[in-house]
Amino acid sequence: MSEANAYAALTKAFSGLGVDENLFISTLGKWNRHQREIYRVSTPGFFKEDERQFQRWNDHHILQLRQEFLRLKDAVVIYTMHPWERDGRLFKEALLLKVPQLNVLIETACTRSSEELLGARRAYHSLFDHSIEEDIAHRLQNPERKLLVALVTSHRYEGPRVNDDLAKAEAKVFVNALKDAKKNLIEDEEIVRILSHRSKLHLKALYSHYKEMTGNYLDEDLDGELTLKQVVQCLCSPQAYFSNILIASLRLDVDESAKDSATRVIVTRADVDMKQIKEEFHTKYGTTLPAKIEEVANGSYKDFLLTIISKSD
């Protein structure tokens, strides 16, 4: 099918009273980020150019699609979205829950580049007429608030240089903080500053120095501090973090929120590091990610996920 015909067929699938699930799998699932960008630009009936220069779904069509099909909808809609809109909506949905999903806030803030995170903040402002920072500050009335605000506003250095002596000194900050039983780590200003400002390469060096100093991995020693543990994993070993999320969500007995996690991870990491996530998953759990999806997912939803992850082979 030519690209023009594929665009027309996909538009028809999004427009009708029924849903052509096979088309989503055979066409949309194989598109790369650039092809999805072209489709958004060329389909103004479904997407509109936001004043902050990203293409956002028309809310009416999102509601229509939700009436047409369920779990496949989440994968298709999120996969088609501009990454800024996608992340902005992930932030909002995590905050709207009665108990906010801190793990989604952490994951989205810590695994995006500084430019991607800036784009998500711009999209959030356009979509909801609020800033992410003010909504987090309003919704979270707990010690995690200061750290989460710092993470979503972070603009990290992303170059190759690392001051190894500084990384070693800041590893020592964590060693000392964890030895102090009276210290509330989540409110420690030095811990918050290091995690929210240092480059990811710097933090990986810090992580290595911590292991050399203590014989333990930093995230393992943070077992009693779940928020900090997730932050460290997302910043220092994101493929391991995402593998953990996937194995927990790809079970027959999990709740709806956990099932949604599989969709979120696979769709958001498809164009980023899915190959590395699959390798990590296989190493850790002794089975492949496609095999696990085959085991627990069904129908077109299963086929769509398998199509997306197969692009990284």
Side-chain angles (χ1 to χ4, degrees):
M1 186 184 297
S2 71
E3 203 156 78
N5 288 340
Y7 291 165
L10 188 60
T11 300
K12 181 179 178 181
F14 276 135
S15 302
L17 296 177
V19 175
D20 187 344
E21 297 183 352
N22 289 331
L23 184 70
F24 291 139
I25 297 162
S26 63
T27 300
L28 180 61
K30 296 179 181 178
W31 280 355
N32 59 35
R33 181 179 294 188
H34 178 65
Q35 289 170 304
R36 300 197 302 275
E37 172 80 16
I38 294 173
Y39 179 71
R40 288 193 298 271
V41 171
S42 64
T43 318
F46 292 159
F47 301 91
K48 57 183 181 181
E49 181 76 13
D50 187 88
E51 61 183 10
R52 287 172 174 79
Q53 298 181 324
F54 68 98
Q55 304 82 32
R56 55 185 285 189
W57 264 104
N58 183 312
D59 288 337
H60 167 75
H61 284 290
I62 291 182
L63 292 174
Q64 178 187 2
L65 287 168
R66 282 183 171 158
Q67 294 170 357
E68 293 283 354
F69 56 126
L70 299 176
R71 194 162 302 283
L72 177 62
K73 174 276 304 177
D74 289 322
V76 167
V77 171
I78 297 171
Y79 189 65
T80 315
M81 276 183 185
H82 191 291
W84 295 1
E85 178 182 11
R86 177 201 68 203
D87 288 347
R89 291 189 184 276
L90 284 174
F91 277 126
K92 187 65 171 180
E93 289 168 7
L95 285 168
L96 280 176
L97 296 173
K98 185 176 181 180
V99 179
Q101 285 184 303
L102 297 188
N103 65 305
V104 177
L105 300 176
I106 292 166
E107 172 188 314
T108 309
C110 293
T111 63
R112 300 336 186 223
S113 70
S114 294
E115 288 303 312
E116 289 168 339
L117 189 54
L118 176 61
R121 296 205 304 272
R122 292 168 65 185
Y124 191 99
H125 190 282
S126 284
L127 292 164
F128 308 115
D129 296 319
H130 286 263
S131 71
I132 298 174
E133 302 94 308
E134 66 180 302
D135 281 357
I136 288 177
H138 173 70
R139 286 289 289 125
L140 302 185
Q141 304 298 321
N142 52 31
E144 287 84 1
R145 175 167 62 176
K146 184 175 182 180
L147 175 62
L148 264 294
V149 170
L151 289 172
V152 299
T153 57
S154 177
H155 196 86
R156 303 175 192 274
Y157 167 69
E158 293 180 345
R161 293 185 179 180
V162 174
N163 183 328
D164 198 59
D165 289 337
L166 182 58
K168 186 180 295 185
E170 291 185 338
K172 189 67 175 176
V173 171
F174 279 87
V175 173
N176 293 334
L178 281 159
K179 285 180 179 177
D180 187 347
K182 296 180 180 179
K183 182 166 285 189
N184 188 344
L185 297 182
I186 198 75
E187 294 184 315
D188 185 287
E189 290 189 3
E190 275 294 275
I191 298 294
V192 171
R193 179 189 63 79
I194 292 167
L195 291 177
S196 60
H197 287 78
R198 293 302 187 198
S199 75
K200 293 176 183 178
L201 286 180
H202 177 98
L203 292 170
K204 288 177 181 178
L206 182 159
Y207 189 87
S208 296
H209 285 303
Y210 184 93
K211 178 68 163 64
E212 292 168 2
M213 293 174 184
T214 66
N216 301 324
Y217 291 107
L218 176 56
D219 50 331
E220 292 176 350
D221 281 352
L222 288 168
D223 271 342
E225 298 276 356
L226 180 59
T227 297
L228 288 175
K229 178 185 176 83
Q230 291 174 335
V231 169
V232 168
Q233 288 179 335
C234 286
L235 290 168
C236 298
S237 52
Q239 288 81 33
Y241 167 84
F242 286 122
S243 294
N244 293 341
I245 295 294
L246 286 169
I247 197 66
S249 61
L250 293 171
R251 299 195 341 251
L252 295 174
D253 59 346
V254 297
D255 59 23
E256 290 302 308
S257 176
K259 291 178 182 177
D260 291 341
S261 296
T263 301
R264 183 183 74 251
V265 170
I266 290 172
V267 169
T268 61
R269 308 313 293 177
D271 299 307
V272 186
D273 55 358
M274 182 51 65
K275 181 177 181 180
Q276 293 88 341
I277 291 171
K278 287 194 297 185
E279 291 170 352
E280 178 74 19
F281 190 95
H282 191 192
T283 299
K284 290 186 74 171
Y285 304 115
T287 186
T288 66
L289 180 57
K292 194 64 180 175
I293 292 171
E294 287 273 10
E295 180 184 328
V296 300
N298 295 308
S300 297
Y301 171 68
K302 175 191 71 177
D303 294 339
F304 189 68
L305 294 187
L306 291 172
T307 300
I308 291 174
I309 67 173
S310 69
K311 294 192 303 176
S312 64
D313 291 338

